[in-house]
Structure formats: C-alpha cells, structure tokens
Amino acid sequence: MDSKKDLSGKTVLLMAIATGIIVANLNYIQPIEGLIATSFRVSKAAVGVVAMLTQLGYAFGLLFIVPLGDIFNRYHLIQIMLGLSILSLIVAFWSPSIVIFGIASLLVGITSVAPQIIIPYAAYLAPNLHQGKVLGNVLSGLLTGILLSRSVSGLLGSVLSWQYVYLIAAIACTILLFVLHAYLPRDPREQQNMQYGKVLASLPKLLAQEKHLQGAAINGFCLFGVSNVLWSTLAFYLAAQYHLGSNVAGLLGLLGITGVLFASIIGRLVDEYSPRMTIGLGIGFSTLAFVIFASLGHLLVGLIVGIVLLDLGTQFGQVSNQAIVQSLNSQASSRNNSLFMFSYFLGGSLGTFFATFAWSHFGWTGVCSVAAVFLIFALLGHLILKEPKKLQKTS
C-alpha cells in the first residue's frame, strides 16, 4: 500500500481502534488507585504521584518522541512505540514495589504516544477533501478508549488482582501489534534527511512561524482546560451538593459517549464548512455549559445537560483544531501535532490546578469563574487568529 487511495474505511477503523487501545493505557490507574495503595501499603497520595508520573511521561513523549514521525518511517515507528509500551505494561504488572511501579508508570506514559503519531499519519494518507471526516473517525476511537478505559479498569480491579489490568492491557496491545504489522498502510514518504537534535530545536521556530498552529494551540489549551475545570472538581461538588461518591462522577463521565457519537459528524461539518465555524460552535457549547453549571448546577438535570454540552464543545474544538494542524506543512505534521497536543495537555493540567485551588477557596462559584477566564481567552484567540486559506470554504 503506497498511496492515499489505500486509506479505506477498514483502515480508518483500524487506526481508530488502535488509538483507543493505546491511549487507554494512560487511564487504567485512576479507578484502581486505592487497590494499589493497599497492595503496596502506601498512602493514596503516593499513588496519586504515580498517576501524575503517567501523565508527565505522556507530556515528555509528546515533545520528544512524536516529532520523530517527521524523520522516520511512521509505519515502523508506530510499531516500535507499541512494542515498548507492551514492555512497560509488563513491568507494571510485575512490579514488586511502588518505586518500580512508579518507574513503569512513567514509561507507560512515555511509550503510549503512538496515537499522536497515528493521527497525523491518517491525515497525511487521507484525501484532502475528506481529511476532517477521517480525523473525526480516528478521534472517535481515541475518545472511546479514554471513555471506556476507566470503566474496564474498575471492573477488572473488582474481580481480579489490580496487576492483571496491566497484563490484560499488554495482551491487547500485543494482539494489536500483530494486526498493525499486517494491515497498517506503509509510509509512502522517502526517508527524511534530518537530525533529531535539529528537529527538536525547530519546534520553537515552527510555533513562531505558524500563526495557524498558534491559534489551534491556544484554542486547544483553553477548551481542554475548561473541560478539566469540570472533571477535576465534579466529585467534590457531588459530595458537597448531593452527598454522592466518586462512583457517580464516573457514571456521569459515561455521558462523554456524546462526543464519540458526534466526532464523525463534526468531521463532516469541518469538511463542508470550515474549522473556524466549528471552533466557534465549540466555544459556544462550552460557554453555555458553564452558564448552566453556574445557574442550575444545584439540580442534577442541570449537571447532566451541562456535561453533554461541555463534551460537545470539547469535541468540536478537538476535531476542528486537528483539521487545522494537519492542513499545515505535511513535512512537519508530526512536529505540528506534538506542539498542539503539548499545549492541549498543558491547558488541561492548568485547568485542573486552578479549578482545584478555586474550589478549596471559593467553592463552585470560583470553579465557574476559572472556566470563564479560559473561555474569554479562547474567544479572544478565535477572533484574532484566522484559519489557513486552504481550509476556508467559498460559497
């Protein structure tokens, strides 16, 4: 397979499934933190640090590994990273101490960045007129993996020793590795004559030169930050307002299926209209969500409606921004994606930090105020920075 014509519906489905299976590795730890703490006889705070190491490892992987997609054959690079991920999961399963488990968790994060190599690879292989649809379908798989990983991990942890969560994940990734080796399209590009150090050094210059990448990075930073403002404080609010536990917060998280169902539709809207229009919708949905949280958050139905709208807003932004990022210089697509996703997760981390601080000092009103700040910056960035001309639709 050596051309864009080879990107069939089955191939797109395979890429979507692959991103979901691999990204799930990042979230398995969250529902079983208590079981891990008991097993290693450490505090829950210590396990929380380990969970943070997984996310930190992912951030490092985004910056230092994903750009390799612009140098090396992506068909091989995806499989190499998946193989290393399998080894990391096996070490996590075997870990005899919290220290070794912490190192394994860091490695799981670093090596689970293959989805962010697959996404620009899918965009590169897709026909230009259908790039948004392809990205929407692949991102549906990514969202499904994030959505289901917590439920799967919690279920397995309730019937098996928590270590088997990582063993089963390693087995799933091993099966995926053989399938990808057989059916993933070969990279049609010639070997790139670039040095790794120069590629990393080019990241700041690339961001400074690409105004459209700046716009996508700012919007992704803000909209994912807004999303995490809610999810980092929802359990606290449910306990204070309704006297409900974190298990209910997990159930409410299943409302994220809305984003999965709409990802492909959003992708088609991007193709038919423009990312600028759909990003505007994303900001609008997210803003409406927090208006409802602030005014009707004391009602459970208000929370449910707001969560659905917020998830739609986040998904509109993610698919639209990826369409912009992948429309830029194809020779730097992996580096573009690396910069965008790093900004995306940086916004999420800061959203979590500021929302938690606001909750501790100002309660739900403070949380909604933090979201308002993120949304104002998202709107300003949207008004100031335009989209690439090649994505602008003419009537």
Side-chain angles (χ1 to χ4, degrees):
M1 287 184 273
D2 58 3
S3 73
K4 294 189 177 187
K5 294 180 181 178
D6 293 315
L7 196 64
S8 64
K10 291 181 179 179
T11 302
V12 175
L13 178 61
L14 172 61
M15 289 180 158
I17 292 172
T19 60
I21 291 175
I22 300 169
V23 80
N25 296 336
L26 300 173
N27 302 305
Y28 286 133
I29 191 173
Q30 293 173 352
I32 57 175
E33 288 185 26
L35 298 174
I36 296 171
T38 301
S39 175
F40 288 128
R41 297 180 181 179
V42 297
S43 68
K44 291 181 180 179
V47 180
V49 171
V50 174
M52 181 196 71
L53 286 175
T54 307
Q55 299 296 325
L56 190 63
Y58 191 69
F60 279 120
L62 287 171
L63 273 184
F64 296 110
I65 295 178
V66 171
L68 290 173
D70 288 335
I71 308 175
F72 299 114
N73 184 295
R74 283 181 282 202
Y75 169 78
H76 296 302
L77 181 60
I78 290 166
Q79 294 178 68
I80 290 170
M81 294 313 302
L82 184 53
L84 293 174
S85 184
I86 292 167
L87 293 175
S88 301
L89 290 165
I90 291 173
V91 174
F93 162 72
W94 164 80
S95 297
S97 70
I98 189 65
V99 173
I100 294 178
F101 181 66
I103 295 171
S105 295
L106 179 67
L107 293 174
V108 166
I110 293 172
T111 58
S112 294
V113 295
Q116 301 307 327
I117 302 171
I118 293 174
I119 290 170
Y121 191 30
Y124 177 81
L125 294 172
N128 290 333
L129 291 177
H130 300 288
Q131 199 172 79
K133 180 181 177 181
V134 168
L135 285 171
N137 288 331
V138 175
L139 288 167
S140 292
L142 189 79
L143 283 169
T144 302
I146 294 171
L147 181 66
L148 296 182
S149 59
R150 298 180 182 94
S151 300
V152 170
S153 177
L155 178 62
L156 290 176
S158 67
V159 296
L160 299 170
S161 296
W162 66 265
Q163 290 92 337
Y164 284 94
V165 171
Y166 289 93
L167 179 61
I168 292 171
I171 293 172
C173 287
T174 300
I175 296 171
L176 176 64
L177 179 59
F178 283 105
V179 174
L180 289 178
H181 181 74
Y183 297 106
L184 188 69
R186 272 53 173 180
D187 194 338
R189 302 174 307 164
E190 296 181 0
Q191 185 74 26
Q192 304 300 303
N193 186 24
M194 293 185 289
Q195 295 180 352
Y196 179 59
K198 290 183 178 179
V199 168
L200 290 183
S202 72
L203 292 177
K205 182 185 294 185
L206 192 64
L207 183 61
Q209 292 175 344
E210 289 284 7
K211 298 295 183 182
H212 308 304
L213 178 59
Q214 293 172 19
I218 291 172
N219 186 262
F221 177 98
C222 293
L223 289 188
F224 194 54
V226 166
S227 177
N228 277 24
V229 165
L230 173 74
W231 291 110
S232 62
T233 56
L234 181 61
F236 302 146
Y237 185 64
L238 287 172
Q241 181 69 29
Y242 302 101
H243 307 291
L244 297 173
S246 57
N247 57 326
V248 178
L251 290 174
L252 290 176
L254 292 176
L255 293 171
I257 192 69
T258 307
V260 176
L261 295 175
F262 275 84
S264 180
I265 297 174
I266 296 169
R268 288 197 291 271
L269 288 174
V270 170
D271 287 333
E272 186 173 351
Y273 297 99
S274 74
R276 182 170 179 78
M277 186 273 285
T278 48
I279 285 174
L281 287 174
I283 296 172
F285 280 129
S286 298
T287 301
L288 182 57
F290 268 93
V291 169
I292 292 174
F293 290 145
S295 58
L296 299 174
H298 60 285
L299 301 175
L300 193 57
V301 66
L303 283 179
I304 292 173
V305 172
I307 288 171
V308 170
L309 289 171
L310 180 64
D311 189 69
L312 274 175
T314 304
Q315 188 61 10
F316 263 98
Q318 171 74 330
V319 175
S320 305
N321 284 314
Q322 279 288 2
I324 292 174
V325 171
Q326 300 309 325
S327 73
L328 304 176
N329 180 8
S330 62
Q331 298 302 312
S333 60
S334 289
R335 281 171 288 168
N336 290 335
N337 194 52
S338 173
L339 288 165
F340 168 68
M341 291 305 301
F342 181 77
S343 176
Y344 192 79
F345 276 88
L346 180 61
S349 300
L350 291 179
T352 298
F353 174 79
F354 286 118
T356 305
F357 176 84
W359 170 262
S360 300
H361 293 81
F362 307 105
W364 191 240
T365 300
V367 170
C368 293
S369 298
V370 171
V373 173
F374 274 95
L375 289 166
I376 289 170
F377 277 105
L379 181 60
L380 289 175
H382 182 61
L383 293 175
I384 294 171
L385 297 169
K386 308 297 184 182
E387 70 187 24
K389 290 183 179 180
K390 65 187 294 185
L391 287 175
Q392 294 174 4
K393 305 298 188 291
T394 57
S395 55

